[in-house]
Every structure is written in C-alpha cells, then in structure tokens.
Amino acid sequence: MNKLLLITLTTSLLLANPQTSVILMIGDGMGPAYTSSYRYYKDDNRSAGLKSTVFDTMLVGMNTTYSQNSVITDSAAAATALATGYKTENGYIGLRDKNHADAQTLLEYAKEQGYITAMAVTSTLTHATPAAFISRGHHRNREAEIAKDFFAKNKKGELKFDFLIGGGDKYFTEGYTNFNQTAKEEHVTLYRKGYDFKNIKNYPFIAFTAYDYPAFAIDEKEEDRYRVSKMTKKSLALVNDKPFFLMIEGSQIDWCGHINDMACAMTEMEDFTRSVSLARSYVDAHPNTLLLVTADHSTGGLAIGKKIKKDNKSVSKETRSKSYIWYKDVIEKIKASSIAIAQKIRESKEINSTFQHYTAITLSNEEYHSLKNTLDQKQKKTRQVVNDIINRHSNTGWTTHGHTAVDVETFAYGKGSEKFRGLLDNTQIAEKVFEVLGRNR
Ligand SMILES: [Zn+2]
C-alpha cells in the first residue's frame, strides 16, 4: 500500500471515530436538597417565575450511592464506585475484593488509551475522591501513603496523570523521601502559587493550591473565592482540543454540610455552578465531549423551610399566611463560615457586635448566653451554636453531621449523555463512562 493512501485511510478512520473527551464533575455531598436550595437562593424573588440553574438544563436522572457494607456511603467508597465501577467498604480507597484487585480506574484506562488525564479539586489531592481515581488499597486517612501511588507507572511505563491541581503538598512531602527530587526525575513541574495559574503553560505538572487543606470559598479573598471555576478554566485551556479525561471536584460542599453551615454550602455551590457553566460552554464549542456531573452522596440531611406556627406573633400576618417559609435572605447576609465567625468571637470577646457584623443577626438574650456559655464552659462548640442560631433564623434544617442515603442527581450534557437517563447505580455511571472512553464490555 502506498504511504499516502495509508495516511489518508488512517486519518479518515480517526475522523470517523474520534475519541470522546470526558469532563466528570463531582459535587462532594451535593444531594438534591443542595441543587434545589441553590436555585431558590439565587432567585431574585422579584421577577415572576423561578430562574433555572445550569443544573436544571442538564438533569437526566438519579443514581444510588450505597456502599458494599452500608446503605450510607462515605466519600471513599462512593468515589471508588464512580472511578472503577465496583463497590467497596466505607473508608476504603479501591477494592478489598481480590477478584477485582487490578480493576482499573477511569483515569487509568483513559491514560492507557492515549487521553490526557487530569484532576482538579478543592480538597487535598490525596483526599478520598481524587485518591480513588489513582490510588488503591489504602484507608482514606493515610494520605501520605496515598501520595506515593500518584507516581506509580502504568503498564506502558507512563505516569497516570498529566496534571493535577489541588491542596495537600504536605502529604507528598511526607510520603516521599525527597518529593521535589522525585518530581524532577519524573519531569513533573511543581507550582506552589495558590490559585495563580498564569505561569502554567505545559504539563506534566502538579499545582498545589494549599500546603494542607484549602480554605472554604466563603473565607477566601474575593479574587480567590471562585477557585473551582479558576481550575476548570485553566484545565480546559490546557487540554486544548486533544482527547482528555478530566475529573473536577467541588470538594467542600460536603465539608460545609458536615458542619451544617448553609452560607458556606451556598458559596461552594456558587463556585461549583459557575464551573459547571464553564464546562457546559466548552462542550458547546467541542461537541465531541461528554460533561457528566453528579454527587458521591448527600451530606447533613439538609432540608429547607419550616412550618410557621399560627400563633407566632413575631412574624407578619402576610408571612403567617404562607404557612411555610425559608428565609434565604438570612443566609445571603452571612459573611464568613461558622468556623471563622466562632474564631472571631473567641478573639474579640465582643459577642453581640461580632456576631452582628458577620451575620446581620441581632442576638436575643438567650442566644447571647448560649454563645457565651460555649466560651466559658466549652461544653458545646461555639461554631455549632453559631450555626444553630443561623439555621433557626433562616428555617434551614439538618438531620445529621454525617451523610445520608438519599439518591443523588445525574446531570449529563453532550456526546453520550443519553446513556445516563433514569435511575442508575453509581457503579453503572462508571461503566457507562468507560464505554464513552471506548471500552467494550
Ligand atoms: Zn463525599
């Protein structure tokens, strides 16, 4: 066969069946109550009708999240299911089942198929969700051990990742004898400039956004508040039309849920939503891309709204006539996370004015004393009382400081999005993404 003909044939084959890129976005803890609260939180209340969110334009179904040993999953087991298509036990990264010990993750499979592979997260890179895409066989708490798996090569002798953005420099430094040297030997450039990515032009690299755990969006400086969006933008600019697998996690929605802090959760949702919009626009310009967005589980048992007692004279007649209400304007005025507010109260000892400054809420006598008690007797955490007060004023409800078993939403857009319709299990989500990446079962 002549060379030109061969080239023409190969090119047309490639054009006929180009590899589909995948953007997998995980809102950690982002159960259905979070996406609905966010919709009401963002609505201006003034215009008629309700403004929809980017999530509303992409909803295709729900998925079940239970783990191998509990109806209620933790992030490690859920991420393992989403990354490999197999369930594992809570707390565990990868599979205990020896039959599937060599099960590949989506990221590993994609790399083997010649995709660019990358992850960008607002947790540490060694935290449960990103860890489950590249590491295996560890308890989630052993982050330094997990870090060592990041430089393990695949069968082709390649690094599994092209670039990583997230916190947790610390765990790499602890995990390796001389981490800077290891990175150098592997030709991986290390960046340690927070969310300033402008000098990053090539990969492989790791960009550490924080030495340990990154801060909450609500406590960040204004210019760094939308950091998932910054990471998403940079990642999509770097892949530059080549086939890629990119996992992006809004990691801290879950952490706000664990402490039952609604303003914290809504600020994380704002950042994550902006990132989903960016990714969606990328798909519009690059139709050969699948955008899949889901959660690993729901956190906190979040509920919005409460019944108003008919004899409650502290609210207007008009408000009483509504029977049920959620005061989102209370949440909108909160300026810091409950952790930061508690810290400020402890430092200043000026309970009333400090609380008023960060929340716009004037404390009742009873509320003042409950906060003061936490400072004097330390029986209950100050942060928890701060949240109790805000939740009571806004009618926001929580059932737990842990996770719950409710199904989570599946949002899909672009190439192959029709595969994700209806009720699936989280393991089926992974299987279908494998298919999109080209694996035949
Ligand atoms: Zn989680």
Side-chain angles (χ1 to χ4, degrees), residues 392-411:
R392 203 164 48 241
H393 279 258
S394 61
N395 284 357
T396 306
W398 304 87
T399 62
T400 173
H401 287 284
H403 300 169
T404 63
V406 295
D407 298 339
V408 296
E409 297 148 298
T410 314
F411 308 97

Side-chain angles (χ1 to χ4, degrees), residues 216 219 261 336-345 347 358 383:
F216 285 128
D219 294 332
D261 186 331
S337 71
S338 52
I339 295 176
I341 297 171
Q343 177 73 20
K344 296 286 180 195
I345 290 175
E347 282 166 12
Y358 286 100
R383 175 226 334 132

Side-chain angles (χ1 to χ4, degrees), residues 211-260:
Y211 180 64
D212 197 349
Y213 279 68
F216 285 128
I218 197 170
D219 294 332
E220 278 286 4
K221 302 185 291 275
E222 182 62 31
E223 67 266 29
D224 283 341
R225 191 164 276 187
Y226 303 108
R227 61 263 203 272
V228 185
S229 317
K230 275 193 177 181
M231 295 190 288
T232 303
K233 205 169 173 185
K234 185 71 195 185
S235 300
L236 292 173
L238 281 167
V239 292
N240 190 24
D241 297 352
K242 295 181 204 76
F244 66 90
F245 173 81
L246 171 63
M247 194 286 280
I248 296 168
E249 186 191 33
S251 319
Q252 301 188 9
I253 300 164
D254 173 69
W255 306 353
C256 304
H258 277 290
I259 59 171
N260 297 172

Side-chain angles (χ1 to χ4, degrees), residues 312-379:
N312 185 350
K313 294 285 186 290
S314 71
V315 295
S316 69
K317 204 173 161 198
E318 193 208 334
T319 303
R320 276 203 304 277
S321 72
K322 293 180 186 172
S323 301
Y324 309 97
I325 198 157
W326 180 52
Y327 296 107
K328 66 146 183 167
D329 51 315
V330 171
I331 303 298
E332 278 171 343
K333 289 175 189 146
I334 311 290
K335 287 190 200 147
S337 71
S338 52
I339 295 176
I341 297 171
Q343 177 73 20
K344 296 286 180 195
I345 290 175
R346 274 194 299 273
E347 282 166 12
S348 73
K349 308 263 190 315
E350 293 286 332
I351 298 176
N352 278 323
S353 58
T354 308
F355 196 82
Q356 165 84 38
H357 175 77
Y358 286 100
T359 65
I361 294 171
T362 307
L363 292 170
S364 68
N365 250 338
E366 199 186 324
E367 288 166 342
Y368 169 83
H369 285 290
S370 63
L371 270 174
K372 187 153 192 322
N373 279 342
T374 67
L375 300 184
D376 299 342
Q377 296 164 16
K378 297 195 173 82
Q379 284 165 336

